[in-house]
Amino acid sequence: MTFVSTLRFQALVAALAATILTSAAPAHAGTEATLLVDADSGKVLHAENATMPWYPASTSKLMTVYVTLQAVKNKRLTLDTLFTVSGRAASQAPSKIGFKPGTQITVDNALKILMVKSANDMAVVLAEGVSGSVEQFSDEMNSTSKNLGMTQSSWVNPNGLPADEQISSARDLAILARALLHDFPEYDMYWHIPAIQLGKKTMRNFNTLIGRYDGADGMKTGFICASGFNLVATASRNGKRLIAVVLGAPSSPYRAAKAAGLLERGFNRGPLSWLSPSLGSVDSLQPINATPPDLRDEMCGPHRKRPAAEDADDENESSGFMLSNLPPSSGKASALLKERPDAVKAIAVFIGAAKSAAEQQFANARAKIQKLAKGKPKADANATAAAPPQPATDAKATTPALQTVSSPPSGTFTPTSGQPQRALRALPTATDVKSAMSYAPAKTEPAPLTAVPDAKPAAAAAAAPAPKAKKKPEIKPATAAKPATASKPAAAKTAVAAKPAATTKQAATTKPATASEQAARKQDTSTKQ
């Protein structure tokens, strides 16, 4: 019996070990990569397979936008520069706008169509116009990635169409999104356009968070069979901007709902969120050396009701199961996304030369950014000017030590010997006097012991007023002259007190003389008798 039970126990242990090893295996079909980052600080708020290599699909176009705007910033071209659609561009696979070869379009309109329609042909138009060829543009994409610290990214085309060498990760895409927001804030409009209108045709943005999730303001979707449904999304609330990355989602509604759940979780972090272990910054995430997961069978296999595609919204698929698998947030997951509006405000795009300077539409944004930049030093100066009185009040007000664990205020751990000096300098004169008074007993208590030797040559009565004359100049230096006038009555009192003392001495000396006289008289009378 014991031998049989031992065998059963070993079999159970082996089964558990196999289960653990299977769950700890590298990413495979069905695995997702998710990442949530604070756009300003780069702090990682959530990460799952964030450094797993992944096929970026059309999120590659974020890098295409970055390189193009960098060329505009370096004055290699302008937003009104005309590019011509080549045969190579026109032959790109969907999703595309479908312009014929020889059609001319401005950089501005090409960027708008690229970001809303996710047009693969416009990506090639921009690549050839900026660098001369797709290959040279890919080299610029790779060099730019290296400069940004995107160590896991490799680019061979500007649109993300299937290629084994086109690789990135959730980490690198978050770094790229932060770089776009930081380096080109005046062009923020490009990645949150709800819709474009070309002639009579209106095309909505594939990023279904825009207009449906509170605060959503960008950026880009992507899909190929090998990658699944990808999304880089940004949202802002109460001055806080977050970046969510979802890679490998099974459908368009799922990736939107998953990103909404991540963002909601980031905006509603509880007061004890700092207790959770720090995940560091997005740049510090350690890359994984692995092969990107291939999701072709799962995404485009025969089991699907209809072929998956970037331009297919999959709105008919049930999203109840998907919403229930979102990360925890403050509210119900099903309430995070609003109903898709029937009508949206579309921005007109067109072919041919610009009707007006494209830079004018960004003038207001640029002026606002410059105004904020000028106001920052003043705000910092005011903050530093108001800083000195804060430590004294904060030390008394913020009693819980837990609030200062994550970011203790400056001066908290300075030596105690230096703190009273800084406090006395910051306090008014009146409090200095009170503090001097509070230390007076320590000086006056040992005074009688040190004053006794000095009192030996003088009269005992004259030693009593001495401590009072020494104590008053410490408290009120202005009234130091009063003890001088007050010393005269004291001297007079001592003189008056000295006279009775002299008379008593005389009386003491006369009393024995009269006694002897009386004794002599008695003897005289006795002898006479």
Side-chain angles (χ1 to χ4, degrees):
M1 293 292 293
T2 304
F3 178 73
V4 174
S5 61
T6 303
L7 290 177
R8 289 179 178 176
F9 177 76
Q10 293 177 350
L12 179 61
V13 170
L16 289 173
T19 303
I20 294 172
L21 290 174
T22 302
S23 62
H28 55 82
T31 302
E32 300 168 12
T34 56
L35 181 61
L36 182 66
V37 175
D38 186 292
D40 292 329
S41 64
K43 180 180 179 181
V44 177
L45 306 179
H46 168 83
E48 181 180 0
N49 297 321
T51 58
M52 189 70 190
W54 216 276
Y55 297 118
S58 286
T59 59
S60 305
K61 294 173 175 118
L62 290 175
M63 178 56 72
T64 301
V65 172
Y66 189 97
V67 174
T68 302
L69 292 178
Q70 192 175 47
V72 173
K73 187 175 182 179
N74 295 336
K75 298 183 179 180
R76 292 165 54 188
L77 49 93
T78 69
L79 293 177
D80 296 323
T81 301
L82 281 171
F83 288 161
T84 303
V85 178
S86 66
R88 184 175 184 177
S91 65
Q92 295 298 301
S95 171
K96 62 182 182 178
I97 197 68
F99 293 146
K100 295 179 180 180
T103 304
Q104 288 190 319
I105 189 171
T106 63
V107 173
D108 174 57
N109 284 317
L111 286 171
K112 292 173 181 176
I113 297 172
L114 177 77
M115 293 301 291
V116 175
K117 178 64 176 174
S118 193
N120 295 324
D121 50 356
M122 289 297 99
V124 174
V125 168
L126 289 169
E128 293 176 338
V130 172
S131 303
S133 68
V134 169
E135 290 73 22
Q136 292 178 357
F137 189 81
S138 299
D139 291 340
E140 285 201 46
M141 294 172 72
N142 287 317
S143 61
T144 302
S145 293
K146 185 177 180 180
N147 293 336
L148 294 177
M150 300 169 61
T151 58
Q152 296 183 275
S153 297
S154 172
W155 315 99
V156 294
N157 63 57
N159 47 31
L161 284 173
D164 292 340
E165 299 85 4
Q166 189 94 352
I167 300 172
S168 190
S169 67
R171 169 192 178 272
D172 280 12
L173 291 174
I175 292 174
L176 176 57
R178 287 192 69 214
L180 280 168
L181 297 176
H182 179 270
D183 297 344
F184 308 106
E186 66 269 34
Y187 299 119
D188 191 81
M189 178 267 291
Y190 280 126
W191 37 85
H192 65 81
I193 301 173
I196 56 174
Q197 184 175 355
L198 180 63
K200 296 182 179 180
K201 187 176 182 180
T202 300
M203 292 163 276
R204 293 195 180 201
N205 199 317
F206 288 141
N207 183 1
T208 56
L209 287 182
I210 298 176
R212 298 182 61 198
Y213 179 74
D214 185 20
D217 51 18
M219 284 199 162
K220 188 71 189 73
T221 62
F223 170 82
I224 58 174
C225 293
S227 71
F229 287 84
N230 301 339
L231 173 62
V232 178
T234 62
S236 302
R237 288 185 191 172
N238 301 320
K240 184 177 184 180
R241 197 168 198 178
L242 301 178
I243 300 170
V245 182
V246 177
L247 304 178
S251 68
S252 175
Y254 185 98
R255 72 180 174 190
K258 190 67 174 283
L262 288 170
L263 294 169
E264 193 71 13
R265 174 172 154 180
F267 286 127
N268 294 279
R269 289 166 63 85
L272 298 179
S273 60
W274 62 272
L275 289 172
S276 59
S278 174
L279 301 177
S281 65
V282 63
D283 303 285
S284 65
L285 294 177
Q286 295 301 317
I288 296 175
N289 185 13
T291 303
D294 190 343
L295 309 182
R296 285 183 178 91
D297 292 338
E298 183 178 352
M299 295 295 152
C300 302
H303 65 283
R304 295 190 72 102
K305 296 179 182 178
R306 53 177 175 163
E310 176 65 87
D311 56 356
D313 238 1
D314 291 345
E315 290 292 351
N316 294 330
E317 296 185 14
S318 174
S319 61
F321 171 77
M322 305 170 202
L323 291 173
S324 65
N325 286 274
L326 292 174
S329 61
S330 62
K332 293 183 179 180
S334 58
L336 297 180
L337 294 175
K338 304 173 185 177
E339 292 294 331
R340 194 169 188 179
D342 296 332
V344 292
K345 184 179 180 180
I347 294 178
V349 294
F350 49 88
I351 60 176
K355 299 176 182 178
S356 60
E359 285 292 343
Q360 291 182 358
Q361 60 186 323
F362 303 105
N364 293 334
R366 189 176 287 105
K368 184 177 181 181
I369 293 170
Q370 292 175 353
K371 184 177 180 181
L372 291 174
K374 291 180 180 178
K376 282 184 180 180
K378 294 181 180 180
D380 295 340
N382 294 335
T384 54
Q390 286 179 354
T393 56
D394 293 345
K396 298 178 181 179
T398 56
T399 51
L402 297 178
Q403 297 180 4
T404 60
V405 171
S406 58
S407 56
S410 59
T412 302
F413 301 105
T414 53
T416 55
S417 60
Q419 288 178 352
Q421 297 178 359
R422 285 193 294 271
L424 288 174
R425 291 193 190 106
L427 291 174
T429 308
T431 53
D432 288 341
V433 175
K434 292 180 180 178
S435 61
M437 292 177 66
S438 63
Y439 287 101
K443 297 180 180 179
T444 55
E445 285 177 359
L449 299 177
T450 59
V452 170
D454 298 335
K456 283 183 179 180
K468 294 182 181 179
K470 292 180 181 180
K471 183 178 178 181
K472 288 182 180 180
E474 293 179 0
I475 302 173
K476 297 180 180 180
T479 59
K482 291 183 179 181
T485 57
S487 59
K488 291 181 180 181
K493 290 181 180 180
T494 53
V496 174
K499 290 180 180 181
T503 55
T504 53
K505 288 181 181 179
Q506 291 177 359
T509 53
T510 53
K511 285 180 181 179
T514 55
S516 59
E517 290 176 356
Q518 291 178 357
R521 290 173 183 174
K522 288 181 181 180
Q523 289 179 0
D524 293 338
T525 54
S526 60
T527 54
K528 288 179 181 181
Q529 290 177 356

